[in-house]
Amino acid sequence: MKIGIIGLPYSGKTTVFNALTGASAKVGGVAAAAKPNISVVNVPDERIDMLTKMFNLKKVVYADLTFIDVAGLTGEATERGKDIIQSIKTVDAIAHVVRLFDNGKPPALKADIQNIESELMLSDFAVIESRLERIEKQRNIR
Ligand SMILES: Nc1nc2c(ncn2[C@@H]2O[C@H](COP(=O)(O)OP(=O)(O)O)[C@@H](O)[C@H]2O)c(=O)[nH]1
Ligand SMILES: [Mg+2]
């Protein structure tokens, strides 16, 4: 399963990514154009441990989770934002990190959530528009 971590810059995405995966990706002040951080972690499962023992298995395969920490969503629908949204199209779930700590600016929970959600909606809207255009073209050909 793949999980994409999104949120505004400096919201704590990479900090959450590091906490979840045990990685040590650079936090704070990472260039928006930076490549996404990707890490695959095993999901420990006592039931698998029990079965491994019970059947005396040599190889243990846990389920794994892939976390993708993307940099660069700004809450404004930019070309770069589109690329980033493209890169999370393949994920199974999106984890939206929202800043609740004071970093000089007080938290603005609602506005921050709305910013990112609008960006996602605009991106969906663009997909719908081009799909409608395509359907319209096909209809005219027939
Ligand atoms: N006080 C506080 N600082 C945090 C917290 N999470 C992240 N930070 C700091 O906020 C800055 C931005 O964090 P980062 O994970 O790089 O955010 P990103 O840009 O969304 O990836 C860094 O200096 C972090 O150390 C938190 O929960 N509390
Ligand atoms: Mg980051």
Side-chain angles (χ1 to χ4, degrees):
M1 186 188 220
K2 266 196 208 171
I3 299 173
I5 302 174
I6 63 164
L8 288 175
Y10 298 102
S11 56
K13 297 182 296 296
T14 305
T15 305
V16 169
F17 170 83
N18 285 341
L20 288 170
T21 64
S24 42
K26 189 172 177 285
V27 296
V30 177
K35 286 218 176 98
N37 297 309
I38 299 175
S39 181
V40 183
V41 291
N42 282 332
V43 182
D45 188 336
E46 288 173 354
R47 293 167 304 176
I48 292 188
D49 296 338
M50 194 184 76
L51 289 170
T52 308
K53 253 196 207 152
M54 197 183 280
F55 294 101
N56 211 4
L57 302 174
K58 286 200 181 72
K59 200 169 167 218
V60 189
V61 182
Y62 291 105
D64 59 37
L65 279 178
T66 303
F67 288 97
I68 307 172
D69 164 32
V70 289
L73 279 184
T74 57
E76 291 153 27
T78 58
E79 280 305 310
R80 167 108 186 108
K82 270 193 216 157
D83 288 350
I84 289 152
I85 288 170
Q86 194 61 38
S87 73
I88 53 166
K89 282 257 160 78
T90 59
V91 301
D92 302 296
I94 292 173
H96 182 173
V97 177
V98 185
R99 182 175 61 90
L100 256 182
F101 55 91
D102 198 322
N103 65 351
K105 273 194 281 175
L109 199 57
K110 253 191 172 169
D112 286 359
I113 293 172
Q114 274 167 3
N115 255 340
I116 291 293
E117 287 192 346
S118 308
E119 196 168 340
L120 295 177
M121 276 188 248
L122 279 171
S123 154
D124 285 346
F125 194 63
V127 173
I128 293 166
E129 266 199 329
S130 64
R131 178 97 177 96
L132 283 177
E133 272 169 29
R134 238 181 304 140
I135 292 171
E136 186 68 20
K137 260 188 210 154
Q138 278 170 353
R139 209 175 56 152
N140 290 339
I141 290 168
R142 281 196 202 125

